[in-house]
Every structure is written in structure tokens, then in C-alpha cells.
Amino acid sequence: MKELILDYGRYNLWANGRIIERLQPEDTAIQSRSIESSFASIHLTLSHIWDAQTIWIERLRGRSLSEFPSKLRPYDPTEIMENLITSSHDWISFIETKSDDYFSNKLVYRTTSGATFEQPPAEIILHCFNHSTYHRGQIITLARQVGLTDLPATDYIFYLRNN
């Protein structure tokens, strides 16, 4: 179980890195352009991915946050990208330190609204990585809507073929 979860963590880092590598050279105005979607811009979607990755890893560390990390500081698109990559590395380091048993034991956590739940860490981690994948797909769609081309493939199978 640990090796599969660790591989998903490495995939998450790879896919986030490919998206950010493509977006970094683009003008901030393009990445911040308001578009009808779950989140109103590419940057806000990246921020949401970072928020979720941070909130979930903190829950696994025994700290349930009551606010989204991006709301606690002034909005800086470059910092959001850096934080997302750092967070993705943190996930790998976190998983590497855990024993196989850790992933199937129950963990109690609180949501940002204060509700309490109990689930095995494996389910939480897979949810978090799946959530990031979902929103990376939205970023590709948003990028096309603002005229960006040469967008990277971030499918898991492409990761497997290239690593």
C-alpha cells in the first residue's frame, strides 16, 4: 500500500510541476483573467489545490486548520506556485516516513467548519491526490479559454511511461 501511495505522491508532484512549468512564463494578467468555472481564474484554481493539499496533510499531522492557508496572507501568484510545489514535495517526505500499518489505521480529523470525521490515511491521501488531478484538468480547460497552447499532458499513464 505504501509504495502505491508514494508513487501517487510522486505523480502529483510531477503533474503539478508540469502545469506550473508551463504557466510560469505567462503574463500574470492572463493567469488571473476571470473565467466562468469552479474557481474564477487559473491562479485561483492553483491556490485551491495548494489549500487542499496543505489542509489535508495538516490533518494527517494531527492539526485541523480552520482557515484556508491562502486566506491568511496577501495573494501572490508566484508564491502560490512555489507553495504548491513545496507542498507536493512535503507529501512525498511525509509518506516516506510512515510504516505500512499507518495507512490503514483510523484517523480522526476536523473539517474547516469543525465537523469531525474518521477515516484511514490511505483514503484521505488518495482523495487529496485525486482532488488535485481533478482541478489540474480544470486548469487545462481554463488555459485553453485564455488562449494558451502547448499544454502538458498530466495523465497518470504519461507519468508512468516517463518515469
Side-chain angles (χ1 to χ4, degrees):
M1 174 75 73
K2 177 180 176 174
E3 285 307 311
L4 178 62
I5 291 172
L6 186 56
D7 194 53
Y8 272 96
R10 291 178 181 131
Y11 159 67
N12 186 64
L13 170 62
W14 174 84
N16 286 338
R18 287 180 56 87
I19 293 285
I20 289 171
E21 183 179 289
R22 173 60 187 92
L23 294 174
Q24 277 180 327
E26 297 299 333
D27 187 285
T28 302
I30 290 173
Q31 297 177 54
S32 298
R33 187 179 298 162
S34 185
I35 306 166
E36 188 70 30
S37 187
S38 298
F39 299 93
S41 71
I42 292 169
H43 276 155
L44 290 176
T45 307
L46 284 170
S47 181
H48 176 69
I49 295 170
W50 171 60
D51 278 339
Q53 286 190 186
T54 302
I55 285 171
W56 281 112
I57 200 167
E58 289 304 313
R59 288 174 181 159
L60 292 172
R61 290 175 172 155
R63 297 183 294 269
S64 293
L65 303 180
S66 60
E67 290 194 66
F68 294 100
S70 66
K71 305 296 183 215
L72 302 175
R73 59 184 61 169
Y75 185 79
D76 178 344
T78 301
E79 184 181 2
I80 294 295
M81 289 183 185
E82 291 169 0
N83 290 343
L84 180 55
I85 293 301
T86 298
S87 169
S88 301
H89 280 287
D90 288 349
W91 271 101
I92 294 167
S93 297
F94 177 83
I95 294 164
E96 286 175 334
T97 67
K98 300 301 177 191
S99 69
D100 286 332
D101 292 343
Y102 169 79
F103 299 100
S104 58
N105 294 330
K106 295 282 186 174
L107 176 84
V108 177
Y109 65 92
R110 282 189 334 276
T111 64
T112 54
S113 64
T116 302
F117 292 93
E118 182 177 327
Q119 289 175 267
E123 291 177 2
I124 292 168
I125 295 167
L126 292 176
H127 161 73
C128 183
F129 294 153
N130 189 55
H131 175 267
S132 294
T133 299
Y134 174 80
H135 287 295
R136 281 192 300 269
Q138 288 183 320
I139 289 170
I140 294 296
T141 299
L142 293 168
R144 286 186 178 121
Q145 289 178 25
V146 297
L148 299 182
T149 58
D150 300 322
L151 300 166
T154 59
D155 296 36
Y156 183 61
I157 196 72
F158 291 116
Y159 161 78
L160 292 173
R161 290 175 185 161
N162 293 294
N163 289 296

